[in-house]
Amino acid sequence: MSRKKSISIISCASIVLLLNANPLPGQQKQQLPVSMDFKVQRFYRHRPDGKPGREVMIYFRQGKFIGKGTLGVECGGGKETIPLESREGIDSFRVILPPGAGVAADGEAKFVLHSGNKELEGTVLVPALRQWTIYIYPHAHVDIGYTNTQANVQVIHSRNLINGIELAKKTADYPEGARYSWNPEVLWPVERYLKMASPQQRQYIIDAVKRGYLNLDASYVNTNTSVAADEELFEFIDHSKDLEKLTSTKIKTYVQVDVPGMSWGLVPVAARLGIKYVLAFNNGSDRVGRSTELSFKPFWWMGPDGKSKILFLQPGSYTPGERAKGHDYWPKMLGQTDTSKLLQIVKTDNPRRQFVDKYLAEKLPELEKSGYYPYDIFAMSWAMADNTPIDADLPDAVKSWNEDYAFPHLIISGATEIMQAFEKKYGDQLPVLSGDFTEYWTDGLGAAAKQTSMNRVTKERLIQDETLWTMLHTGKPAPRSEMKEAWRNVSMGTEHTWCYFDPSKQPITNDILQVKFGYFQRGADISDSLKVLALSSVTQNGSSTIAVFNTLSWNRSGLVLLSKSQSEKFNSINDNNGKPVLSQRLSTGELVFVAKDIPALGQRNYFLKKGKYNTNGALAHDNILDNGLVRVAVDLKTGDISSLSSGGEEFADNASPTKLNSYRYLHGDDSPEKASGTSDVKISIKENGPLMATIRVMSSAEGCNSLIREITVIAGQPYVDIKNTVDKQPVLKKEGIHFGFAFKINTPVTHMDIPWGIVKIDDDQLTGANRNWIGFQRWVDVSGQDRGVTWCSLDAPVFEVGNMTANIIGSATNSEKWIKKIDPSATIYSWALNNHWHTNFPLSQEGKITFRYRLLPHNTGYDAGLANRFGLEQMQPLIVSPVKDNKETTPLLSLQGNKNVVVSILKTDSTGDVVQIRLRSVSDKDENVKLNWLSRKPVSVDLLSNNAAMDKSPQEEILVPAMGVVTVEAKFGR
């Protein structure tokens, strides 16, 4: 045995390690040091009795210990004696304390060193230290395009699947905790791999999942859920149901990485689809605002319905692995487009060299000192960075660590194992929270405003495509694969990555960006083709019979526009009773009319005629629009709406500098008062008839070649239509375009629509939620006790409350600009466009981009049912088609009951024999509704719970929970 200057005492169980195998001389001198110092270590060692014990380092001062003696140890009620023997002398050694010492509470350890007739005493405080279990989640962050082209990112993650499974196989006989398993993080890599896989490769993945080598979680990609459409969330998580079926393995956890925040509407959808947990690794620093305030604070997240509930955990950021080790590897892969040169695996000769030590030494004491983390379970990410290979050192590092230490004990795991451990040990102790975890990275959507608008339209059209198919193709199999691919492209559009991490680098930035833009276009193209396919059974081009279809579940009226080519041979329109319908030829050559009382989930036919009818009258006079229901005045100097009145009440706040539909251009992080407006305003009347009138406002606007604002009113319609078109200049300096709306409403309260819920601004937002800018679904309502305005933004999904509070540039880590509380305000801003991001997004935007808004003033207080219906009508317009004959299709069903409950979608399966009907309630109390079957009677009607039938008896009445969603499945016989 080699000579050393210290002796290593393994435990207090009378075990001695000699420094030299030779016996001590009979006349060996005895020597004691003058004093002892102590260092209590932040881990537990293994004792010979199998129990963990705290380790204490003892340092002798002013002399070594030489000779024979004993060390008495007393701590935590336990006493042990250690014989010591040293020939050459020792200056330090390690002691493992008795079991239980320093676990539950601080304690004092007393040490007495005896040698001959001499004695030396010392004491040390042993601070309480939890016996931590550390769950390590191995993954590579899936950032589709950020570090490489989308195709190469797919190659990297496909390799990771195989390499991860192979490593899991090789370590299958390792001690428990050190056995490897791979987490693809999201399902996109698995779904893409399986799409191209051979039968053998497919079975390989299935077997790996069944054996626990590969852990699957529910999210398809890392996305912005705050701007999802309600049905989009079902489609998004539905990928997990496909893989559940394929692998016969339940998927229980939704994993989100990088993106700070998450829609409250995810909770009822996840719960409905059998997802019990959410594990979210935050970015941690870059434009995350106050979202990290929810880190290390697990809670039960109650849905807007007050019934659905999932366990949520945000265990810090996903960067520990990158900071410890990955920084040596990911830069080598950055922008490397030659796949043969991409690193495929990380493997070193020293697995423990760059490991978890520093991170745990930082975070565990921090959490123990905090007042909010009483748990001894700790979850952490282990990723080399974005789109990196697996760290093959991990199982050996964990194995070695666990051999050295009893605690912290490391376990390589998947998300569900982590969450189940929390639930089992602490589930009944965790708080229950309700509210929206409003996202922060929705600002990026304004950095590609045109594509964001495109996706927004596509989502709503796809919902209509589903319903329209069910309306017109009774008993026919729906094109499910096409529907799924359209939704997949929608998801790839919303996925949080847009282009290369350095947007100035070419050609890789444009290569990635063009693929990204392709997702938006394909989604739009497929949704268009599905609409044509749904109408194909009734359409006849050139027909003078026009069918108007209503895909919503209440009778509605609305403006219908016929193209110039479709209507140019005709001059008027009759309804199905042969009566003339008021119509108007526009300056564009299009023909418009208002289709009235179109049946719920049904159609009404109209007939083009050549004869002319008297259409005298005008709704516009100078700078005024007035249809008898709403009156609008346009400011001659600014082009803003200076007056909006309805029922004799004024809804525009003339005391505010913002007015309504005010253009505001803000440089970088300038204060809001520095924003510029419009100049060189020219106002003209574009359309002016008895049916529709439009005032056109042309002006100069900073950042644009021009700004055109068109304000329209329609006869019989109580809302104002606004269309703003910016001809954008390609500005590289940081900029933001905002459209302000200052309403005149006393004691205002603002509500917004989210998927499957409604958020009362500030009150229904979690601590740490984004309050500087807010992503929403279809509508925002600002109301006082007796009046208000419902505001819809059809293209831009982000708004601000009170002022332009999105003027934050750069990472803004710990910036004081992040809002903690939103004060009530009747002013909102649409944050339409920006280039605030320093990475991942296009540097500039140019060309014509349109932003549309609808304003519905109401002389009543807030009414969720009316606001929801108005929002749906704007986002899902009436569908028009020339048809073969005058036959009007009988609706499949009608919904009877409270107006606060609507049908969200009718969805036919791949057999044609099953239709799902989704019901959404915005009522604050439970509501009973009834489905009246009109054209086809089902053989059974079941309520679905966790995607399975819950009640096998036909439903006469259906209870829809307050703010809840119910899925009904109707089965039809042939």
Side-chain angles (χ1 to χ4, degrees), residues 446-569:
K450 185 178 292 185
Q451 287 71 30
T452 294
S453 171
M454 183 185 296
N455 229 22
R456 202 157 162 76
V457 171
T458 297
K459 298 172 189 183
E460 302 291 351
R461 187 187 297 120
L462 282 170
I463 296 171
Q464 289 189 281
D465 290 343
E466 291 270 20
T467 299
L468 190 63
W469 180 272
T470 303
M471 289 167 55
L472 298 179
H473 295 267
T474 301
K476 300 292 179 61
R480 295 255 53 91
S481 61
E482 291 86 350
M483 296 280 190
K484 192 173 193 68
E485 181 61 13
W487 279 113
R488 195 189 75 81
N489 277 279
V490 165
S491 295
M492 293 301 292
T494 312
E495 193 266 339
H496 75 303
T497 320
W498 288 68
C499 67
Y500 194 57
F501 96 110
D502 178 2
S504 67
K505 187 172 182 179
Q506 295 295 355
I508 192 169
T509 288
N510 277 349
D511 292 343
I512 295 171
L513 201 56
Q514 291 311 306
V515 173
K516 178 72 173 183
F517 288 169
Y519 298 137
F520 296 98
Q521 191 62 58
R522 280 194 296 277
D525 290 345
I526 298 172
S527 68
D528 281 338
S529 66
L530 286 169
K531 176 182 171 182
V532 172
L533 185 63
L535 290 168
S536 63
S537 61
V538 297
T539 295
Q540 180 174 306
N541 290 328
S543 172
S544 61
T545 303
I546 302 298
V548 180
F549 299 94
N550 176 14
T551 57
L552 299 176
S553 58
W554 60 92
N555 292 3
R556 60 185 287 207
S557 302
L559 188 72
V560 172
L561 185 148
L562 302 178
S563 68
K564 178 180 179 180
S565 61
Q566 187 177 4
S567 63
E568 62 184 350
K569 296 180 181 179

Side-chain angles (χ1 to χ4, degrees), residues 65 180 223 334 589 702 746 882 958:
F65 173 81
Y180 194 75
T223 194
L334 195 63
E702 192 174 2
N746 296 325
I958 299 169

Side-chain angles (χ1 to χ4, degrees), residues 29 125 153 155 166 218 230 304 388 402 501 521 527 547 644 702 721 790 889-890 907 910 926:
K29 178 182 177 181
L125 176 68
V153 168
V155 168
E166 287 301 307
D230 42 24
T388 46
N402 288 341
F501 96 110
Q521 191 62 58
S527 68
L644 169 64
E702 192 174 2
D721 180 295
T790 302
T889 304
T890 302
K907 191 172 182 177
S910 58
D926 295 350

Side-chain angles (χ1 to χ4, degrees), residues 674-691:
K674 292 184 179 180
S676 63
T678 55
S679 60
D680 302 323
V681 173
K682 298 178 179 61
I683 296 176
S684 61
I685 295 177
K686 180 182 179 181
E687 310 291 348
N688 198 6
L691 177 62

Side-chain angles (χ1 to χ4, degrees), residues 605-849:
N605 291 345
Y606 292 83
F607 304 93
L608 291 169
K609 299 294 181 180
K610 294 186 177 181
K612 292 186 177 181
Y613 297 104
N614 183 12
T615 56
N616 293 331
L619 302 180
H621 303 280
D622 299 322
N623 64 325
I624 306 294
L625 295 168
D626 191 344
N627 67 359
L629 296 175
V630 288
R631 182 182 182 277
V632 176
V634 177
D635 187 282
L636 296 173
K637 183 178 180 180
T638 64
D640 302 345
I641 296 175
S642 57
S643 175
L644 169 64
S645 59
S646 177
E649 297 291 334
E650 179 60 60
F651 288 85
D653 184 3
N654 283 314
S656 169
T658 303
K659 304 298 187 294
L660 299 180
N661 199 36
S662 298
Y663 178 88
R664 292 291 182 268
Y665 183 87
L666 201 59
H667 291 274
D669 58 358
D670 279 357
S671 57
E673 57 269 17
K674 292 184 179 180
S676 63
T678 55
S679 60
D680 302 323
V681 173
K682 298 178 179 61
I683 296 176
S684 61
I685 295 177
K686 180 182 179 181
E687 310 291 348
N688 198 6
L691 177 62
M692 188 178 98
T694 300
I695 288 180
R696 178 185 176 99
V697 181
M698 295 187 65
S699 60
S700 298
E702 192 174 2
C704 304
N705 295 313
S706 65
L707 167 66
I708 298 175
R709 288 174 286 175
E710 296 180 347
I711 303 96
T712 299
V713 297
I714 304 162
Q717 300 299 305
Y719 66 88
V720 179
D721 180 295
I722 296 171
K723 179 182 176 182
N724 299 334
T725 301
V726 297
D727 186 355
K728 190 72 187 64
Q729 296 171 345
V731 177
L732 293 176
K733 292 183 179 179
K734 298 304 178 186
E735 62 172 351
I737 290 178
H738 312 249
F739 289 101
F741 297 83
F743 301 115
K744 185 179 180 181
I745 297 168
N746 296 325
T747 60
V749 176
T750 302
H751 293 83
M752 71 167 177
D753 175 44
I754 65 169
W756 311 114
I758 294 174
V759 170
K760 183 179 179 182
I761 294 300
D762 202 68
D763 289 8
D764 290 333
Q765 292 180 271
L766 293 174
T767 297
N770 191 356
R771 287 164 167 82
N772 286 71
W773 59 84
I774 301 170
F776 72 107
Q777 184 178 202
R778 297 186 178 106
W779 55 266
V780 174
D781 186 272
V782 184
S783 290
Q785 291 186 346
D786 56 0
R787 63 183 188 151
V789 176
T790 302
W791 176 87
C792 295
S793 174
L794 281 67
D795 302 288
V798 177
F799 73 104
E800 305 149 291
V801 178
N803 211 331
M804 288 171 280
T805 52
N807 56 336
I808 297 179
I809 304 299
S811 296
T813 307
N814 301 320
S815 170
E816 290 299 318
K817 288 188 174 183
W818 297 114
I819 296 173
K820 295 182 178 180
K821 180 176 177 55
I822 297 177
D823 294 325
S825 176
T827 296
I828 59 176
Y829 286 85
S830 170
W831 193 20
L833 182 150
N834 74 85
N835 63 356
H836 284 191
W837 272 91
H838 53 89
T839 183
N840 189 35
F841 286 93
L843 293 173
S844 65
Q845 301 175 74
E846 63 180 312
K848 293 182 179 180
I849 307 172

